[in-house]
Amino acid sequence: MNNRNASSLSATDRSRTVHVVQTGLRKRYRAEKRFQRLGMAAVICALAFLAFLFVDIFSKGYKAFQRTVFLLDVYVDPDVVHVGNLDRADYQSLVKRSLGNLFPDVKGRQEKRELFRLVSGGAGEVVRSKVLEDTSVIGQTIAVWVPADDDVDMAIKGGVDRRLAPSEGRLSERALQWLDALATRGRLAKHWNTAFFTSGDSREPELAGILGATVGSFYTLLVTLALSFPLGVAAAVYLEEFAPKNRWTDIIEVNINNLAAVPSIVFGLLGLAVFLSFFGLPRSSPLVGGLVLTLMTLPTIIIAGRASLQAVPPSIRDAALSVGASPMQAVFHHVLPLALPGMLTGTIIGMARALGETAPLLMVGMVAFIVDIPRGFTDPATVLPVQVYLWADSAERAFVEKTSAAIMVLLAFLIAMNATAVYLRNRFERRW
Amino acid sequence: MNSLLLFTILALSAGAYHLGKRRVLRLIGGKAHARHLASRPHYYGVYVALWCALPALLIFLLWLFLEPVVLEQWVVRHLPQSLQSPPSNRLSLVLNDVKNLAKGGIVSGYADPAVQTAAEHYRRLLGLSRTALWVAVLALAALGMQMGYGKIRISLRARTHVEKIVRLFLLMASTLAVLTTIGIVFSVLFEAMRFFRLVPWWEFLFGLKWSPQMAIRADQVGASGAFGMIPVFTGTLLIAAIAMSVAVPLGLFSAVYLSEYAPRKLRAVVKPLLEILAGIPTVVYGFFAALTVGPLIRRLGETLGFSVASESALAAGLVMGLMIVPFVSSLSDDVINAVPNDLRDGSLALGATRSETIKQVVLPAALPGIVGGLLLGVSRAIGETMIVVMAAGLAANLTVNPLSAVTTVTVQIVTLLVGDQEFDSPKTLAAFALGLVLFVVTLILNIIALYVVRKYREHYE
């Protein structure tokens, strides 16, 4: 029928159709281009945001890996430090004295206090550890690099505009002159900020470090891994290999999918009500944090585990069964080892998510200000993302830089974990 | 101490494994005859090891859960009447002191002599309990080992027994998800019920004012406490709406571009890059929203002559939207890829351009799946915590102006529960009521979304 119609069209009709199509075509091609460009723009927009985020964090944080230090000649006065009080002697006063010696013309009380404020409250700590290391320095003058106060640190790094009027900038003109004097004498330098990696939290930005949070994260994730991996694998194996297909397993399946999408803070509420209030487990501990994160990551691991079990072809099972293995043996000796790489990838991704999780941990009290490095699963602890949250809330300007640096460390861990997952997937991926 | 006991049990059961295996090999007459056994020899070992470990572990766990409760009861009964009768929160404070004293820690306030004796008592009881625990567990382990060992015969079908237990363990692991859900429902519901006893539920659901500051003293001014969740919920929806209006176009367009237009190589690079967005911790987004995007929007708004709150809904919503982009795009990518090529080829063969094919054939075919994905995105936006905690405000304004500060359900939960309050005040209980609302709303969204996605996926198979 179409054929007859086409052939019966007159020549003028045909040319008109061609004309209509051709004029329309240009418009349609333009629409096509526009659509494609819109898609590209969306991708570029998202990627630009990603780049902006990274550049922003990096540019704010990279300075935190250095800190400003002063070189001071500290006289370890035997009157202040002696064998009886090595631990508790007033080392800070020694530091102040040596700083005062550098500026003999600083006289007034007010002026002196301002001078002493240049050096960090933790400077005495440095001298203390030197003395404890080697008690023979008592009575001698030792040269030590001590950390500067965070305001000084910011000024040296250019975080605070030095040209601002003294009332606006935190440092007065006088203080800036002292700093210049120290710099010309070679007594001011920027050193690699070891303390950032080796100390716990502190109220003083120049002393605050991420070791406590890192160790806390480690313990928390250890609990999470130790519980969620075996349980997740077991659940996946049961549901995929042994469970009868009935109403009950259907409920379990819907449940798991749903749990994967429940807001994380609700898990925090669960942890608060069940683990803390009901079972009375210790607050702020990696144990409780790990339990909450276990419940959160379990669905992810189960879903990934089931997917990788499904990918193992039935012939493997059949072969094992046909040589007389029991179903359990077929699964544990043959199917599971083949599915394990996929399960591991899922687990690492779940762990990476657990590492970045904050909200449920706030609920179980891991927001406490904790200076000590946790030494066990029941010690009060905090974790990296919560540390980021705590520092982001702090009023001190210098914490912005610390926060960004902590984020960089956190992201480095995350990227390492995800890279491992990708590597494992590529290394062990098997096509049947 | 407890972990030492745990290791002892494990070591004992390792020994039990060897004993069991050796015994059955001896019964059959050496390794050479092992093939005549009903099960492989190591199953006999595992059998005895399970007998040794399981009852002991069971008692161990039970003990750990019950010990604090029982000990507390005991100590309370021995406290003088004057300390026993007062309101329950004071009793818990006293108990806390007792425990701290017993551990040699610091006490709040002074140390009452009665509390001192109670602490002494508690410490003694604790020591006694620990000794009893060791004795009980070790005895049970030994007894179990004895039992299992005695049951070993050549005819024993050890594998069947072991597999039954393994199967039980697998079943229990898979029901954990259900238990978690039940746990969530009960813990949230239980506390919410207590809240609704103090504040009527209609006031909570339909009240227009939210100010959870309760008067600590009766004569305090301006601290009456109002628990109407409408403004909080409006704020949540406002931020979620902003987030979705960013995430939907960006996510959808990039999914379409990546699955329909992009060359393979570009796709292989861009897709994982986009997925990085999904892997970044939300606290990082929060920091970014609060410190970079917020001030940026504020400056921009001021130059344009708008008044922008320092913590605007726009900043939080914008950043949250970008966080959800990869989520939307990977879900839509899946459904778009699931549309069979026949449909595309048919459309292209009729002369449609690619964008016409996408707009008129692919997207309509994939629509239910995409909608399901978007619903999941909405539920994520509603439940997202850290971004809003750091970048949205605390004041519960009943407004839809994206430039003003609003608060959300999750922000309120966090601010109500982080910090030190007594556990029975309506203020803390309100957090659980909000949690209940959050759970129910996201549950409904999730179930609809999962249902739609699932139903749609089956469509083409």
Side-chain angles (χ1 to χ4, degrees):
Chain A
M1 202 173 113
N2 271 335
N3 268 341
R4 215 182 57 206
N5 274 351
S7 62
S8 68
L9 279 171
S10 66
T12 50
D13 276 348
R14 201 175 300 155
S15 71
R16 210 180 62 210
T17 314
V18 168
H19 178 71
V20 167
V21 167
Q22 276 179 344
T23 46
L25 209 53
R26 207 170 300 146
K27 216 160 108 198
R28 287 170 58 205
Y29 279 153
R30 268 209 301 278
E32 168 75 28
K33 269 270 172 294
R34 203 160 52 230
F35 190 75
Q36 194 175 347
R37 287 213 187 101
L38 265 176
M40 216 187 303
V43 172
I44 289 172
C45 195
L47 290 184
F49 171 75
L50 184 68
F52 180 37
L53 178 77
F54 271 87
V55 168
D56 182 63
I57 301 272
F58 187 80
S59 65
K60 275 187 187 141
Y62 77 97
K63 282 175 184 164
F65 295 118
Q66 286 199 321
R67 69 169 176 182
T68 309
V69 282
F70 298 136
L71 179 64
L72 295 182
D73 299 320
V74 179
Y75 172 59
V76 187
D77 192 344
D79 290 343
V80 179
V81 184
H82 41 79
V83 186
N85 70 350
L86 280 183
D87 249 352
R88 279 162 300 141
D90 188 2
Y91 292 100
Q92 192 69 19
S93 70
L94 297 179
V95 171
K96 283 180 184 170
R97 206 185 294 168
S98 66
L99 188 62
N101 291 340
L102 288 176
F103 297 96
D105 47 333
V106 173
K107 281 281 157 15
R109 203 176 138 79
Q110 192 77 29
E111 219 179 346
K112 266 196 168 158
R113 197 184 296 164
E114 199 180 338
L115 176 65
F116 294 154
R117 226 184 291 146
L118 293 183
V119 69
S120 161
E125 259 328 275
V126 180
V127 181
R128 190 179 88 115
S129 62
K130 283 261 191 241
V131 172
L132 288 181
E133 209 174 273
D134 177 15
T135 47
S136 68
V137 297
I138 297 178
Q140 289 175 10
T141 301
I142 50 172
V144 278
W145 290 97
V146 298
D149 189 60
D150 57 312
D151 289 330
V152 175
D153 196 37
M154 297 300 285
I156 295 296
K157 288 173 183 165
V160 176
D161 198 341
R162 287 182 60 163
R163 286 160 306 178
L164 283 180
S167 59
E168 283 182 53
R170 292 285 300 273
L171 292 181
S172 65
E173 196 49 45
R174 197 158 52 183
L176 289 176
Q177 275 166 11
W178 288 331
L179 289 181
D180 286 338
L182 281 170
T184 47
R185 277 193 248 174
R187 290 190 171 272
L188 188 153
K190 280 191 279 184
H191 278 186
W192 173 251
N193 191 354
T194 324
F196 183 68
F197 297 99
T198 57
S199 57
D201 198 5
S202 169
R203 297 272 185 228
E204 305 291 330
E206 73 273 12
L207 300 177
I210 55 165
L211 184 64
T214 312
V215 173
S217 270
F218 173 75
Y219 281 128
T220 309
L221 283 188
L222 207 62
V223 173
T224 310
L225 183 67
L227 289 173
S228 65
F229 183 64
L231 286 175
V233 169
V237 164
Y238 182 78
L239 291 176
E240 205 52 47
E241 303 285 336
F242 297 111
K245 292 274 168 273
N246 59 22
R247 209 190 184 94
W248 179 237
T249 47
D250 221 37
I251 291 176
I252 293 181
E253 188 169 347
V254 171
N255 222 302
I256 288 171
N257 284 329
N258 181 53
L259 270 187
V262 166
S264 58
I265 196 166
V266 173
F267 283 95
L269 288 176
L270 169 77
L272 176 58
V274 173
F275 298 131
L276 294 187
S277 298
F278 189 69
F279 287 134
L281 294 176
R283 244 177 117 74
S284 325
S285 62
L287 177 66
V288 175
L291 282 171
V292 170
L293 291 181
T294 299
L295 296 182
M296 267 191 65
T297 43
L298 211 48
T300 319
I301 295 179
I302 295 176
I303 292 169
R306 293 188 66 175
S308 58
L309 280 172
Q310 265 166 13
V312 177
S315 57
I316 304 280
R317 286 174 198 96
D318 296 344
L321 292 176
S322 68
V323 294
S326 71
M328 191 79 65
Q329 285 171 325
V331 169
F332 278 96
H333 295 177
H334 301 280
V335 179
L336 196 56
L338 291 171
L340 217 49
M343 291 178 156
L344 267 181
T345 337
T347 307
I348 294 174
I349 290 169
M351 284 292 124
R353 198 169 302 166
L355 172 64
E357 199 55 67
T358 322
L361 300 180
L362 299 186
M363 297 287 99
V364 295
M366 290 190 98
V367 278
F369 170 74
I370 289 151
V371 178
D372 296 330
I373 315 289
R375 262 190 258 126
F377 294 105
T378 49
D379 280 0
T382 189
V383 293
L384 270 175
V386 177
Q387 186 73 75
V388 168
Y389 171 66
L390 283 173
W391 282 351
D393 251 12
S394 299
E396 315 261 3
R397 281 206 45 181
F399 269 123
V400 170
E401 157 186 306
K402 296 278 162 189
T403 314
S404 305
I407 287 175
M408 282 158 72
V409 173
L410 182 62
L411 289 179
F413 277 128
L414 278 178
I415 290 171
M417 279 166 99
N418 282 318
T420 317
V422 170
Y423 171 76
L424 281 179
R425 187 163 20 190
N426 292 341
R427 176 89 171 67
F428 292 105
E429 193 176 46
R430 207 186 271 249
R431 299 244 171 235
W432 303 94
Chain B
M1 188 71 176
N2 283 334
S3 45
L4 184 65
L5 185 51
L6 208 60
F7 276 119
T8 316
I9 297 175
L10 289 183
L12 275 178
S13 52
Y17 170 82
H18 274 289
L19 280 179
K21 194 171 160 186
R22 223 176 54 197
R23 171 163 166 112
V24 82
L25 282 176
R26 212 169 44 229
L27 281 179
I28 197 84
K31 254 194 179 134
H33 303 281
R35 67 199 148 87
H36 297 301
L37 280 170
S39 312
R40 305 273 306 280
H42 69 262
Y43 278 107
Y44 294 88
V46 175
Y47 180 77
V48 182
L50 285 175
W51 262 102
C52 168
L54 282 185
L57 280 178
L58 207 68
I59 282 294
F60 179 62
L61 287 180
L62 228 83
W63 201 292
L64 285 188
F65 281 134
L66 290 181
E67 186 186 58
V69 186
V70 174
L71 285 193
E72 241 167 54
Q73 289 291 328
W74 227 309
V75 168
V76 168
R77 213 179 309 151
H78 282 83
L79 277 176
Q81 276 301 319
S82 60
L83 283 174
Q84 253 187 66
S85 49
S88 58
N89 49 8
R90 209 188 125 194
L91 183 62
S92 68
L93 207 69
V94 169
L95 270 177
N96 223 353
D97 279 358
V98 168
K99 279 183 202 163
N100 276 341
L101 260 182
K103 277 184 202 145
I106 311 139
V107 205
S108 70
Y110 69 106
D112 196 303
V115 173
Q116 292 270 19
T117 45
E120 200 50 48
H121 187 57
Y122 183 80
R123 197 179 338 194
R124 225 178 18 249
L125 282 178
L126 200 67
L128 208 66
S129 160
R130 283 294 140 91
T131 322
L133 174 64
W134 271 82
V135 170
V137 165
L138 291 184
L140 214 57
L143 202 71
M145 204 195 299
Q146 179 74 31
M147 289 276 284
Y149 193 75
K151 277 183 188 264
I152 285 189
R153 306 265 180 285
I154 291 175
S155 59
L156 179 76
R157 299 239 175 308
R159 201 199 68 216
T160 328
H161 291 286
V162 170
E163 285 188 352
K164 246 184 221 155
I165 289 176
V166 173
R167 211 183 152 111
L168 197 69
F169 167 71
L170 296 182
L171 177 66
M172 281 183 351
S174 65
T175 48
L176 201 64
V178 180
L179 285 182
T180 309
T181 311
I182 295 174
I184 288 175
V185 170
F186 269 87
S187 58
V188 176
L189 199 66
F190 183 68
E191 304 288 338
M193 292 298 241
R194 282 169 64 191
F195 172 73
F196 291 133
R197 235 175 280 148
L198 298 167
V199 177
W201 62 268
W202 57 87
E203 211 182 297
F204 176 72
L205 282 184
F206 305 112
L208 293 180
K209 191 161 180 298
W210 176 268
S211 86
Q213 287 310 316
M214 288 301 283
I216 297 170
R217 303 185 311 274
D219 56 335
Q220 213 165 348
V221 186
S224 54
F227 295 96
M229 60 156 244
I230 296 278
V232 180
F233 206 66
T234 319
T236 310
L237 290 183
L238 174 63
I239 288 188
I242 297 171
M244 291 317 282
S245 63
V246 174
V248 171
L250 279 184
L252 216 51
F253 268 115
S254 38
V256 165
Y257 180 76
L258 287 180
S259 58
E260 301 283 327
Y261 286 110
R264 266 179 161 264
K265 272 185 186 164
L266 183 72
R267 188 184 146 89
V269 176
V270 170
K271 224 183 158 197
L273 274 181
L274 278 186
E275 273 160 12
I276 289 180
L277 275 178
I280 292 176
T282 52
V283 68
V284 177
Y285 284 110
F287 175 72
F288 185 68
L291 262 91
T292 305
V293 178
L296 213 66
I297 287 177
R298 197 165 157 208
R299 242 175 291 145
L300 200 73
E302 270 163 6
T303 50
L304 294 176
F306 295 113
S307 79
V308 184
S310 59
E311 294 178 316
S312 61
L314 190 59
L318 212 65
V319 173
M320 193 195 283
L322 285 156
M323 180 194 88
I324 302 178
V325 164
F327 191 70
V328 171
S329 78
S330 75
L331 271 175
S332 340
D333 199 51
D334 280 355
V335 270
I336 288 172
N337 275 331
V339 174
N341 265 332
D342 301 1
L343 288 182
R344 280 188 199 90
D345 295 345
S347 167
L348 291 172
L350 284 174
T353 63
R354 279 172 99 174
S355 64
E356 285 162 351
T357 305
I358 292 163
K359 276 185 273 191
Q360 284 159 18
V361 177
V362 178
L363 285 185
L367 197 64
I370 290 175
V371 169
L374 293 187
L375 283 181
L376 280 181
V378 173
S379 113
R380 187 171 258 218
I382 288 178
E384 169 48 41
T385 313
M386 292 323 291
I387 297 178
V388 285
V389 166
M390 294 167 83
L394 288 177
N397 297 325
L398 186 53
T399 174
V400 288
N401 176 9
L403 300 178
S404 62
V406 295
T407 192
T408 71
V409 174
T410 47
V411 170
Q412 288 306 316
I413 294 177
V414 169
T415 46
L416 290 178
L417 284 183
V418 171
D420 300 316
Q421 308 93 348
E422 68 273 51
F423 213 69
D424 289 339
S425 80
K427 197 177 153 185
T428 39
L429 291 176
F432 284 92
L434 286 177
L436 181 65
V437 172
L438 184 66
F439 181 68
V440 170
V441 170
T442 51
L443 182 72
I444 292 170
L445 281 173
N446 292 344
I447 287 178
I448 297 173
L450 289 173
Y451 176 77
V452 172
V453 172
R454 217 175 172 199
K455 188 171 165 120
Y456 173 72
R457 285 230 173 102
E458 281 159 8
H459 202 69
Y460 288 117
E461 274 166 10

